Amino acid sequence: MTDSNIPTARLGGDGPEVGVQGLGCMGMSWAYGPVDTDASRATLERALELGVTLYDTADAYGAGDNERFLAPFFQAHRDEVVIATKFALSSPPDAPFRRIIRNDAPYIRESVEASLRRLGVDVIDLYYMHRRDVNVPIEETVGVMADLVREGKVKHLGLSEVTGDELRAARTVHPIAAVQSEWSLFSRDIEAGVVPAARELGVALVPYSPLGRGFLTGAVTGTDTLAADDFRHRQPRFTGDNAAANAALLDPVRTLVEAHDATLGQIALAWVQQRAQVHGLPVVPIPGTRKPARVEENTAATRIVLTDAELSLLEPIAEKVAGDRYADMTFTSAGRE
C-alpha cells in the first residue's frame, strides 16, 4: 500500500493488528442524507492507501445495504482489511429509525449467516454485539458468539455500549478484542467504568462518533442544513437551544487550530487518539466519511500531539454539553453504569 503512514495498534491481547484509526462506513449507505456511491468507493480505496485497515459496518445500517455495498471492496482486498460488523438491532419496515434489540441465540445465528452472505466472505474478523438486551444474560450471549468462533465463522469478538461490569462478565466466557462506544470531546461517560475495565482486561476501545457526528468539525451545528432523512434531526444535541449552546463550546478547540496548522476536526480526533496514552490502552477511533479528502484529513490527525496545557484547555468541554447523546439513553450503557 502507498502512503501507509499511520501507526498500528492491536485489538485485545490476541486480536488483529490494525491501523490506529479505522473507518466508520455507516454513512455510505444510510443515516446522513443522500449518498454518493462513487465517492464512497474512492474513500474506501484511499483509506486503505493511507493505512486504514479496520472497516466498521453493521447489519442494521440500511437493513443490510451497507454490508452489501462494502462487499466488493472487502472481497477485492480480503487479505488487507479487517471486517467489523454487528448484530442485535433490527427495525420494522415502516419505522427505519426504531430499534428492536435482540441477543437471543437463534437471532444471533440467523444474523451471522445473513451478514456472511451479504459480505460475501467466509469469516467475519470482528463480530460485535451492537447493543445489550438486558433480558438476556450477557454470559449467554457471549457464549453463543464464542461458539461462532469455534465454528470458524468469526475470528474475534467485540461488544458495543456495555458497562464495565458487563465487560468483565463477558470476559469470563471468552476473550473480548474490542469495546465500541461513543467517545469524543462531547461524550466522555465511558471513562467512569468502561475504560478502566477495558484497561484492566487488555481490551481495546473503538470510539464511534469521535467527531460528535460532525458537530466537532464545525461543519454542522444544527439541523437547518441537514437533509430531511438525516437521523441527526432526532439527536438532542443538534436541536433548538442545545445546538446554539454546543456551538459555543468549540471556541477552545479553535484556539488550537492555528498552533497545529490543523482543522477543528483534526484537533478533536487528536484528542481521541491521545486517550490511548492518557488511559493506557489501545484506542482506535472510527470516524465516518464519504469523501477521500476527508479521510486524508482525518488520518493526518494521528500525527498531531497535543500538549498537557492544550489537553487541559479542552478538558471542561464535555461537562458543558447540552443534550444527551440520544433521545433515548436506555439505548446506551450510560443508564446502566
Side-chain angles (χ1 to χ4, degrees):
M1 292 180 291
T2 60
D3 298 323
S4 182
N5 56 2
I6 66 172
T8 61
R10 187 168 296 282
L11 301 181
D14 62 352
E17 187 168 352
V18 298
V20 78
Q21 186 180 114
L23 181 63
C25 301
M26 178 181 77
M28 294 179 177
S29 306
W30 180 78
Y32 291 116
V35 300
D36 184 332
T37 55
D38 289 340
S40 292
R41 291 190 188 101
T43 300
L44 293 168
E45 297 288 350
R46 184 59 179 140
L48 189 59
E49 290 174 350
L50 292 165
V52 173
T53 54
L54 177 64
Y55 293 80
D56 185 87
T57 182
D59 60 1
Y61 299 161
D65 285 348
N66 197 235
E67 289 179 327
R68 281 186 283 265
F69 169 75
L70 294 168
F73 171 75
F74 289 157
Q75 293 162 23
H77 299 285
R78 188 64 190 98
D79 295 335
E80 301 169 88
V81 301
V82 173
I83 301 171
T85 193
K86 316 177 192 74
F87 73 89
L89 296 180
S90 60
S91 301
D94 59 343
F97 288 101
R98 181 186 166 203
R99 290 290 176 258
I100 299 168
I101 303 175
R102 289 185 61 181
N103 289 175
D104 57 282
Y107 182 80
I108 296 171
R109 289 196 165 277
E110 176 185 332
S111 296
V112 73
E113 296 295 346
S115 285
L116 287 168
R117 285 195 301 271
R118 285 189 292 264
L119 293 165
V121 297
D122 296 326
V123 61
I124 294 165
D125 300 311
L126 178 59
Y127 200 44
Y128 285 102
M129 180 191 77
H130 204 162
R131 288 294 190 273
R132 170 87 201 282
D133 178 355
V134 296
N135 298 309
V136 180
I138 196 165
E139 296 91 342
E140 182 178 318
T141 300
V142 176
V144 179
M145 296 170 71
D147 287 340
L148 301 180
V149 175
R150 286 187 282 270
E151 294 164 14
K153 296 174 182 177
V154 170
K155 290 184 179 179
H156 305 283
L157 303 185
L159 304 171
S160 181
E161 289 285 357
V162 293
T163 68
D165 287 344
E166 289 167 350
L167 174 57
R168 290 186 179 93
R171 181 61 182 82
T172 65
V173 179
H174 192 276
I176 303 298
V179 168
Q180 185 177 128
S181 287
E182 188 166 352
W183 202 4
S184 73
L185 281 169
F186 271 15
S187 301
R188 298 181 58 180
D189 51 86
I190 66 168
E191 293 175 19
V194 182
V195 171
R199 181 177 61 241
E200 167 195 327
L201 299 171
V203 176
L205 253 295
V206 177
Y208 72 83
S209 297
L211 293 171
R213 298 180 178 83
F215 214 116
L216 287 162
T217 69
V220 181
T221 55
T223 59
D224 293 347
T225 59
L226 300 179
D229 59 347
D230 193 305
F231 91 131
R232 285 171 289 188
H233 284 286
R234 299 166 177 82
Q235 301 291 308
R237 293 177 177 177
F238 287 84
T239 57
D241 292 341
N242 288 348
N246 293 332
L249 298 179
L250 298 179
D251 289 345
V253 186
R254 289 191 175 91
T255 65
L256 305 184
V257 166
E258 185 174 353
H260 290 275
D261 189 23
T263 64
L264 285 169
Q266 286 176 324
I267 298 298
L269 275 175
W271 181 90
V272 177
Q273 301 277 180
Q274 250 172 283
R275 298 301 91 192
Q277 289 73 46
V278 171
H279 292 280
L281 79 171
V283 176
V284 181
I286 49 169
T289 184
R290 300 178 287 195
K291 298 178 181 178
R294 195 67 70 198
V295 82
E296 292 170 0
E297 175 185 329
N298 291 346
T299 53
T302 64
R303 299 191 292 273
I304 298 173
V305 178
L306 303 176
T307 67
D308 289 344
E310 290 171 334
L311 292 174
S312 295
L313 183 67
L314 302 176
E315 186 67 20
I317 291 176
E319 64 186 22
K320 299 177 182 178
V321 173
D324 285 329
R325 294 196 276 131
Y326 293 95
D328 179 7
M329 286 295 285
T330 62
F331 190 62
T332 74
S333 62
R336 301 194 305 273
E337 281 286 7

